[in-house]
Amino acid sequence: MTIGKNQDPVEIPRSGIVYGDIVYWTTIAGAFLAIVGSIITFVTTNNYIDPNYLLSSIWEGKGVAAIWRGVEGVGAPPDGHWYLGQITTGNGLTMLGLVLGVFSVIPGLLGASWILLTKEGMPPYAGLALVAALITLFAMIA
Amino acid sequence: MLLELAKRVPELTLLILITILAYAIMGWGSQIAGTAVLSADAAWFIVVASFVLSTGIAIIAVLGGVGGGVIFTPIMLGFTSIDTLLVRATGLVVAMFSGLVSSGPFMRRGLADIKLVLYCSIPIIIVAMAGAKTAILMADSMGETGDAILRLLLGLVLIFVAAIYILGGNKTEYPEPGKIDGASRKLQLRSRYWEESLHKVVEFHATNAVLGGLLFLAVGFTGGFFGLGGGWAIVPVLNVVMGVPLKVSAASSGVLLAIGNAAAVWSYITKGALIGVLAAPWMLGQIIGGILGAHILTKIRAAFVRSILIVLLLLTSLKLLARGVEALFGIDIPLI
C-alpha cells in the first residue's frame, strides 16, 4: 500500500459507478414508494390487511402463520409475490417499495457485468457479477 | 458539515423532509383506532421510534462496516416480544439497506472496490445458504448443546479479532502486506482512492486472495448458520488477512452484505414474513442513515473506524458468550 504525496486524479472503475448508481437511485425510488404506502396505510382504509390488527398482532408476539391466518379473506400465509396484486393498497405499495430496493441488486450487477465485459475487458469479473445476479434472480423467482 | 451535505446531496434533504412530513401526516390523520394491546398513539410512536433508532444504527453500521443486523437483532429480541421470524426478516432489511444505499457514494469515490466486492460475494452468497440449511439440520440432531458450543467458539474468535485490532494499533488502518502472492496479482485486486482525511491518494494491492476466499466460505457459512449476516467478520478478513486499508474494508463490507443478503431476503418476502408496516420505518432509517454514514466515512480518520469496530466486535462477542453459557449451563445472564 502506498500513500501518495500528490493529488493525482483517481480513476474510478466505471463498472463500480454503474453498479453503485443503479442500486442507489433504485433504492431511493423504493423509499419514496414505501413512504407513500405508509401514509396510505395510516390515513386511509384502503388496505389489504387492517394495520390496526397487524400492528397489534406483531406487538403481541403472534407468529407469521398466526398473523396471516387471522387476516379476513386471506386465511393463510402467502406463497409468492402477494403484494403485486395489491399495489393500489397501502400494504401492497409499502411492500413494493421495500422489494424495489432489494431487487436493485439484480440490475446493478447486470449493468456492472456488461461494463466489465465490454468496456473494461475483465471477463472473469463480468462472469462473477453475472453469477451473483443469477443466484439472486433465482432466489427471487424460485 | 450537515448543511454542506444537505446542499451536496439534495436527494437526502428531500428524503428527510418528506419522511418527517409523512410521519406528521400519519400522526395527524391516523385512521388507526387502537386495540387493547396497542393504542393508536402507541402504534404511531413505535413507527417513528423505529425510524429514529434505525437511522442511528445505520450510521454506526456503515462506519464500522458491520451491517445493522448485529445491533438490531439483540435489541429487538431483548426488548420486545415480536416473533423471532419477523425479527430475523426485518433484521435482514436492516442489515442490507444501509449497504445498498451507501454503494453509490462508496463506488463513486473508489472507497469500495467492485473487483474486491465481486470476488468475495460469490462464496458468501452460496455458502450462507448451506449454513442456514445446516443450522436447521443441527438443531434436529445436536440440539441446543451444539448450538451453544458454536456460539461460545464464535464469541472467542471475535475477542481474538478485537485483540488484533487493539494490539495492532494503527498498523491495521493502512496495512503493509509485503509480498503480493501470484493469485492476488492475477486477480488484479488493486485499487487507489482519494483519502479525504489525509488529503492524499492511497494505493493498495490486496494479498492472500486464496486464503481470503477460503475464509469468506467460513464467514458465509457462520453468517447463514447464526443468522448474523457475517458483517462482523468481513472487515477483519479484508483488512487483517488480505491487507486492504481499513476504510476500504468497511466500505466494501457494507456493499458485500447488501449483495449477500439480497438473495436470502426473498424467501422471507414470498412467505409473508416481511411485513411492510413493521419493516418500512427500519428501511427508511437505514437509507437516510446509510447515506449520512457513507459521507461521514469518507471524511473521518481510519483510527475512528477502528475504535468503532473494536467496540462492536467486543459487544457482539459478549452477547455470543452470554448466550452460549446460558444455553450450556441453564443460567440466565441479564445482558441485552
Side-chain angles (χ1 to χ4, degrees):
Chain A
M1 188 218 61
T2 326
I3 298 178
K5 289 183 178 154
N6 50 30
Q7 299 193 3
D8 301 339
V10 176
E11 199 182 321
I12 310 293
R14 208 170 142 204
S15 51
I17 296 173
V18 166
Y19 171 78
D21 280 355
I22 290 175
V23 169
Y24 182 78
W25 290 108
T26 312
T27 306
I28 288 179
F32 283 116
L33 282 182
I35 291 172
V36 176
S38 297
I39 295 174
I40 295 172
T41 304
F42 264 72
V43 304
T44 73
T45 51
N46 180 22
N47 284 302
Y48 179 54
I49 311 167
D50 176 17
N52 211 20
Y53 162 77
L54 207 49
L55 280 165
S56 297
S57 303
I58 292 169
W59 203 244
E60 209 178 342
K62 277 189 186 170
V64 174
I67 291 173
W68 282 94
R69 269 199 303 272
V71 178
E72 209 175 311
V74 179
D79 189 16
H81 299 276
W82 62 270
Y83 49 87
L84 290 176
Q86 305 294 333
I87 53 171
T88 54
T89 66
N91 310 118
L93 198 59
T94 307
M95 277 304 294
L96 189 69
L98 275 158
V99 164
L100 190 62
V102 178
F103 173 77
S104 68
V105 168
I106 298 170
L109 285 168
L110 291 175
S113 175
W114 178 251
I115 299 292
L116 281 161
L117 185 69
T118 59
K119 308 276 183 197
E120 293 173 358
M122 291 190 173
Y125 284 107
L128 285 179
L130 188 64
V131 169
L134 289 176
I135 293 172
T136 314
L137 188 67
F138 176 75
M140 185 182 97
I141 58 176
Chain B
M1 185 184 161
L2 280 176
L3 202 66
E4 185 209 335
L5 186 63
K7 281 183 194 164
R8 206 152 38 89
V9 194
E11 65 274 19
L12 174 66
T13 315
L14 188 67
L15 198 55
I16 292 172
L17 290 175
I18 290 178
T19 305
I20 293 169
L21 185 68
Y23 286 136
I25 293 170
M26 284 157 65
W28 173 69
S30 177
Q31 295 294 311
I32 291 183
T35 62
V37 178
L38 203 65
S39 72
D41 287 344
W44 179 82
F45 177 77
I46 286 168
V47 170
V48 176
S50 300
F51 165 73
V52 173
L53 194 59
S54 179
T55 306
I57 287 176
I59 294 172
I60 297 168
V62 169
L63 296 183
V66 293
V70 172
I71 309 168
F72 167 86
T73 308
I75 290 175
M76 294 302 273
L77 293 178
F79 286 107
T80 73
S81 54
I82 298 174
D83 176 65
T84 54
L85 192 62
L86 286 171
V87 171
R88 272 183 285 161
T90 312
L92 276 179
V93 167
V94 174
M96 74 178 292
F97 267 85
S98 59
L100 277 176
V101 82
S102 60
S103 299
F106 284 158
M107 288 291 186
R108 274 196 294 271
R109 286 171 180 267
L111 211 51
D113 180 56
I114 187 82
K115 295 197 294 286
L116 203 57
V117 165
L118 289 172
Y119 176 72
C120 303
S121 65
I122 299 295
I124 290 181
I125 295 173
I126 295 170
V127 183
M129 293 180 194
K133 284 196 187 301
T134 310
I136 296 163
L137 287 173
M138 268 191 77
D140 292 340
S141 59
M142 283 181 72
E144 286 192 0
T145 309
D147 188 53
I149 292 168
L150 283 166
R151 276 181 204 281
L152 276 175
L153 289 174
L154 195 60
L156 292 172
V157 169
L158 290 201
I159 288 177
F160 176 71
V161 175
I164 291 173
Y165 276 111
I166 294 166
L167 299 173
N170 56 14
K171 281 183 204 156
T172 55
E173 291 160 21
Y174 303 101
E176 294 286 353
K179 194 170 174 269
I180 308 295
D181 64 292
S184 306
R185 218 184 297 274
K186 274 187 187 161
L187 286 162
Q188 300 177 53
L189 292 173
R190 62 171 188 271
S191 190
R192 61 208 301 266
Y193 72 99
W194 173 250
E195 177 53 76
E196 193 80 35
S197 66
L198 299 175
H199 292 283
K200 281 173 182 166
V201 173
V202 172
E203 273 183 55
F204 66 92
H205 200 314
T207 187
N208 297 326
V210 176
L211 178 62
L214 290 172
L215 285 171
F216 275 118
L217 288 174
V219 169
F221 186 83
T222 49
F225 187 87
F226 291 108
L228 282 172
W232 54 273
I234 294 173
V235 180
V237 173
L238 285 173
N239 179 232
V240 179
V241 178
M242 296 178 74
V244 177
L246 189 55
K247 278 171 77 169
V248 178
S249 302
S252 301
S253 168
V255 179
L256 258 168
L257 276 173
I259 296 176
N261 289 333
V265 80
W266 285 109
S267 55
Y268 290 101
I269 292 171
T270 53
K271 296 291 175 194
L274 190 70
I275 295 179
V277 75
L278 174 70
W282 287 98
M283 170 216 190
L284 293 172
Q286 288 298 304
I287 290 174
I288 290 172
I291 300 174
L292 284 169
H295 286 277
I296 294 169
L297 185 67
T298 57
K299 304 266 183 199
I300 59 169
R301 289 189 169 272
F304 185 65
V305 179
R306 191 166 64 89
S307 307
I308 289 178
L309 201 60
I310 290 169
V311 171
L312 290 175
L313 284 168
L314 288 175
L315 287 177
T316 311
S317 63
L318 216 58
K319 178 75 187 166
L320 285 165
L321 290 174
R323 286 192 64 186
V325 170
E326 278 177 340
L328 270 183
F329 303 106
I331 54 169
D332 183 41
I333 300 172
L335 191 73
I336 294 168

